[in-house]
């Protein structure tokens, strides 16, 4: 048989935390409920942030497409005056050959100006040191006027700056005589 409990033993058993003690706590103070509420709040914030990020990505993609279209239109618009002048030259093809040559030279200068305004000016590399990043060697020539390893002749013009090349110049490089 079990021994009778004393009054002190009974009161200590009542104070021990157990399932009954959770019921005695005020509503909303349950740590498990608080943790679940916090998890739900964080999950909601995470989902909202993920949705905002997805919307931001879509908006950036649309902005990039729009910017490319605007840049293409701006570039094409820069070439329209060149085309207009070429059409005028063709209309007057039966005219005086000297006037046609002058017109073609003017259109050529206009085309060079359009390229320069787009950040790709024509390069004048004659006499400069050969640089494989800026030049494409298509031949060599023994040339006493130029230092060996320099550009003696430009066969096809290059366009761009030292930082950004649209097309390297095709050049003939000076060498020493044997």
């Amino acid at each position: 048989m079990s021994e009778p409990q004393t009054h002190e033993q009974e009161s200590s058993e009542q104070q021990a935390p157990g399932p009954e003690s959770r019921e005695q706590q005020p509503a909303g103070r349950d740590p498990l409920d608080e943790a679940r509420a916090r998890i739900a709040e964080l999950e909601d914030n995470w989902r909202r942030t993920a949705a905002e990020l997805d919307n931001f990505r879509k908006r950036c993609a649309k902005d990039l497409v729009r910017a490319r279209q605007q840049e293409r239109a701006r570039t094409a618009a820069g070439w329209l005056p060149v085309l207009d002048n070429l059409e005028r030259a063709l209309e007057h093809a039966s005219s005086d050959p000297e006037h046609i040559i002058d017109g073609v030279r003017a259109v050529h200068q206009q085309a060079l100006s359009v390229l320069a305004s787009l950040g790709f000016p024509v390069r004048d590399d004659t006499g400069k040191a050969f640089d494989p990043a800026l030049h494409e060697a298509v031949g060599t020539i023994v040339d006493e006027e130029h230092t060996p390893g320099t550009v003696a002749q430009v066969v096809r013009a290059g366009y761009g700056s030292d930082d950004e090349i649209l097309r390297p110049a095709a050049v003939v490089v000076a060498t020493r005589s044997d």
Side-chain angles (χ1 to χ4, degrees), residues 8 32 46 58 61 71 81 102 124-125 129 137 169:
E8 290 177 24
L32 185 57
W46 171 76
K58 290 175 184 175
E71 186 60 26
D102 290 342
D124 182 20
D125 292 331

Side-chain angles (χ1 to χ4, degrees), residues 45-63:
N45 287 345
W46 171 76
R47 289 182 194 279
R48 288 176 190 267
T49 303
E52 287 177 15
L53 179 61
D54 189 45
N55 289 339
F56 179 72
R57 284 182 186 146
K58 290 175 184 175
R59 193 169 46 254
C60 285
K62 286 179 184 177
D63 289 348

Side-chain angles (χ1 to χ4, degrees), residues 33-107:
D33 289 342
E34 287 180 13
R36 285 182 180 143
R38 180 70 176 141
I39 288 171
E41 178 186 348
L42 290 173
E43 188 174 86
D44 182 56
N45 287 345
W46 171 76
R47 289 182 194 279
R48 288 176 190 267
T49 303
E52 287 177 15
L53 179 61
D54 189 45
N55 289 339
F56 179 72
R57 284 182 186 146
K58 290 175 184 175
R59 193 169 46 254
C60 285
K62 286 179 184 177
D63 289 348
L64 183 61
V65 167
R66 188 179 322 111
R68 284 181 180 161
Q69 289 171 341
Q70 289 173 346
E71 186 60 26
R72 285 180 54 220
R74 188 178 74 79
T75 301
W79 285 102
L80 291 177
V82 176
L83 288 174
D84 293 341
N85 288 333
L86 285 172
E87 288 173 1
R88 282 190 203 104
L90 290 173
E91 288 173 4
H92 300 287
S94 61
S95 305
D96 180 24
E98 282 299 316
H99 286 106
I100 293 174
I101 291 171
D102 290 342
V104 170
R105 282 189 182 123
V107 172

